[in-house]
Amino acid sequence: MTAVATKRPAGDADERTQLVGWLDVQRSIVRVKCEGLSEADAHRKVLPTSPLMTVAGLVAHLRWNEYSWFQLNLAGVPDTGQTPWTDDGHVDAEMFVDDVPLAQLLDEYDEECARSNALVATLPLDALEQGTYRDDNPGSTRFILCHLIEETARHLGHLDIIRELLDGRTGYTK
């Protein structure tokens, strides 16, 4: 068995290195789960009760989660219409990507992850969200990193299942 795309952080690394490192590991597995998929399979709806749960839809969802948590929430960048969400739109609008090539979605995800890491590098782990947050309880950089590790890993589980249903491929190594 070969290693995942990004090496795990050292066991004795500092907290920031651990958090960013583990998030980068999860992010890198997203691309591994997409390797070798045709466009048709990347957009194939294999779960009748969840038609937005496609490989492409999940990649887009992960990209916009990165943007939402790090740029909108943590940095406080205002949404000036660049996101797929609208007040009267579908709650999962970011997953409507039937006409977007998987390679483009993966590149956009990688670019967003790089922006997230660049932002995190400038902030203390205790820095609080500057944008919209829930319940008058802003999250810290640390909280958001932990949440994105969980969020990305959870959706990797979905990608595992969808990939296995598509072509039988299992695992997360190259």
Side-chain angles (χ1 to χ4, degrees), residues 133-138:
Y133 43 85
R134 294 173 178 84
D135 304 324
D136 293 325
N137 185 21

Side-chain angles (χ1 to χ4, degrees), residues 34-92:
C34 296
E35 286 177 353
L37 276 178
S38 67
E39 283 301 318
D41 280 346
H43 293 87
R44 188 174 318 281
K45 296 160 178 45
V46 295
L47 302 171
T49 58
S50 299
L52 296 178
M53 281 286 228
T54 65
V55 169
L58 284 166
V59 172
H61 174 72
L62 287 167
R63 180 270 169 119
W64 286 107
N65 267 316
E66 289 273 341
Y67 183 82
S68 177
W69 279 99
F70 288 109
Q71 300 303 318
L72 297 178
N73 294 17
L74 186 58
V77 173
D79 183 358
T80 57
Q82 71 271 33
T83 68
W85 306 294
T86 59
D87 289 338
D88 58 348
H90 193 281
V91 67
D92 293 317

Side-chain angles (χ1 to χ4, degrees), residues 105-154:
L105 294 168
L106 286 166
D107 288 346
E108 290 172 357
Y109 178 56
D110 289 346
E111 291 166 9
E112 200 59 59
C113 292
R115 275 191 291 279
S116 297
N117 281 353
L119 173 64
V120 166
T122 69
L123 297 171
L125 292 176
D126 292 333
L128 296 178
E129 290 175 275
Q130 299 301 301
T132 305
Y133 43 85
R134 294 173 178 84
D135 304 324
D136 293 325
N137 185 21
S140 66
T141 304
R142 177 184 296 103
F143 171 88
I144 292 170
L145 285 166
C146 288
H147 174 66
L148 264 289
I149 291 168
E150 175 272 329
E151 175 84 7
T152 307
R154 183 168 53 93

